[in-house]
Amino acid sequence: MSEPNAFNQPLGGNTMPRFGGLASMMRLPVATSAVGLNAGFIGVPLDIGTSHRPGARFGPRQIRAESCLIRPYNMATGAAPFDALQVADLGDVAINTYHLLKSVDLIEQHYRPIIDAGCIPLTLGGDHTIALPILRAMKAKHGPVALIHVDAHADVNPDMFGEAIAHGTPFRRAVEEGLLIGDKVWQIGLRGSGYSAEDFDWPRQQGFTVVPAHEVWWTSLAPLMADIRQKIGPDTPTYLSFDIDGIDPAYAGGTGTPEIGGLTVPQALEIVRGCRGLNLVGCDLVEVSPAYDTSGNTALLGANLLFEMLCVLPGVAYR
């Protein structure tokens, strides 16, 4: 860690070769404890909850590798997160690759001391199953939270292949366990074919606001985010869960369950930047599966969205 009263800074390309040294997120120091950190990047290399194409366990590694280009200042928004927040890469959760339910418990237990230390977790997934144990850990500290969920899929299946926990069920379980504030949940970007005409009705019945992708084609999402900020308010603990398949596969094809007709990259940026002013207590970026995008563009996009999430956390300085 750095000297007292100094904030960690990403090592720049002029300081060290971009492809030399440890591949940490944004070339930040790697920490073994969250004590003293305001925010930390955490990898969860799990994909045994997937139902179609596997490979998201390699997402954290690829996202970190592609993050080497990201610089400390956000030139569009003026955010200078490293001027005010102590940030580090907290490494990966040691999941059990042979047992999904054990992995879910391991994730929750890993996150609890991080959250208790006052460190805001920024998670590199991993498949979307990981949102459930993270939300469980969030509730222990913050109680039920508001949720902004970007995804092609609602992830509210009652079960998948007879299993209650998988990447298509986390928000059904989260409602059942009282982890969410139902009327302060937004699901943005939902689309694709379904199993029945009523697939998106259950979240609406819980009070969720559903924003299908086709309703916002060619539309700025800044007004939507202004409405979300007003309805959630500045004090409510809020979690941002961003599935990379919420974005159209033309931009982000490296994912396990791609659906055509999705959000654009500028819309994704509007969503994340529109979270500024909310009491964000955690964020995740999930379902990057590098094998299906050999260009690395999907992981590059994921890395930049995680940086944008860091830029809207409470306490960030602006220039």
Side-chain angles (χ1 to χ4, degrees):
M1 300 296 291
S2 56
E3 62 188 35
N5 302 318
F7 296 108
N8 294 336
Q9 296 291 323
L11 290 175
N14 295 328
T15 306
M16 64 172 280
R18 285 207 170 98
F19 301 106
L22 183 67
S24 65
M25 187 66 182
M26 290 187 66
R27 305 173 310 281
L28 283 162
V30 175
T32 57
S33 169
V35 175
L37 296 180
N38 302 112
F41 292 101
I42 306 166
V44 186
L46 178 138
D47 64 3
I48 49 178
T50 53
S51 57
H52 189 45
R53 305 191 304 196
R57 70 180 63 185
F58 299 110
R61 179 184 300 178
Q62 182 86 12
I63 290 168
R64 286 186 174 104
E66 296 295 343
S67 76
C68 68
L69 184 63
I70 303 174
R71 303 167 187 89
Y73 299 100
N74 191 319
M75 302 304 290
T77 67
F82 303 104
D83 285 7
L85 302 183
Q86 188 70 295
V87 188
D89 189 324
L90 284 166
D92 286 353
V93 180
I95 59 96
N96 183 329
T97 56
Y98 302 110
H99 202 303
L100 180 58
L101 296 184
K102 285 183 179 178
S103 291
V104 167
D105 288 340
L106 288 168
I107 294 165
E108 179 182 354
Q109 295 308 313
H110 188 95
Y111 273 72
R112 283 199 176 209
I114 293 170
I115 296 168
D116 286 343
C119 176
I120 298 173
L122 298 166
T123 301
L124 294 65
D127 74 55
H128 222 153
T129 310
I130 69 176
L132 177 61
I134 295 172
L135 288 171
R136 287 172 173 171
M138 288 287 168
K139 184 183 180 183
K141 173 74 171 181
H142 302 289
V145 297
L147 174 71
I148 299 170
H149 171 209
V150 183
D151 206 321
H153 313 96
D155 292 352
V156 294
N157 293 338
D159 60 76
M160 298 188 77
F161 300 100
E163 299 297 329
I165 293 182
H167 77 156
T169 69
F171 302 112
R172 170 81 68 136
R173 301 288 88 82
V175 169
E176 293 170 350
E177 296 179 20
L179 311 182
L180 302 176
I181 305 170
D183 62 354
K184 292 188 176 183
V185 176
W186 278 261
Q187 295 188 304
I188 307 170
L190 305 190
R191 62 189 189 279
S193 53
Y195 295 103
S196 75
E198 294 77 33
D199 275 5
F200 297 156
D201 289 349
W202 188 88
R204 293 188 177 101
Q205 293 164 3
Q206 314 313 308
F208 294 12
T209 301
V210 175
V211 184
H214 68 268
E215 292 185 1
V216 294
W217 286 344
W218 308 295
T219 302
S220 169
L221 297 188
L224 170 66
M225 295 309 300
D227 183 55
I228 290 174
R229 289 194 305 274
Q230 190 274 325
K231 289 179 178 176
I232 291 180
D235 300 320
T236 304
T238 303
Y239 190 82
L240 172 60
S241 189
F242 202 121
D243 189 324
I244 201 72
D245 73 26
I247 301 172
D248 192 88
Y251 309 100
T255 189
T257 47
E259 305 282 0
I260 66 166
L263 304 176
T264 66
V265 173
Q267 286 177 315
L269 291 171
E270 285 182 317
I271 292 170
V272 179
R273 291 174 182 175
C275 292
R276 179 183 176 186
L278 293 172
N279 179 23
L280 286 177
V281 294
C283 309
D284 66 49
L285 189 288
V286 299
E287 299 283 359
V288 170
S289 194
Y292 307 106
D293 181 2
T294 56
S295 73
N297 281 347
T298 305
L300 176 67
L301 175 56
N304 276 274
L305 289 174
L306 283 158
F307 171 63
E308 293 283 345
M309 293 173 190
L310 174 65
C311 288
V312 294
L313 294 185
V316 166
Y318 286 82
R319 290 189 175 185

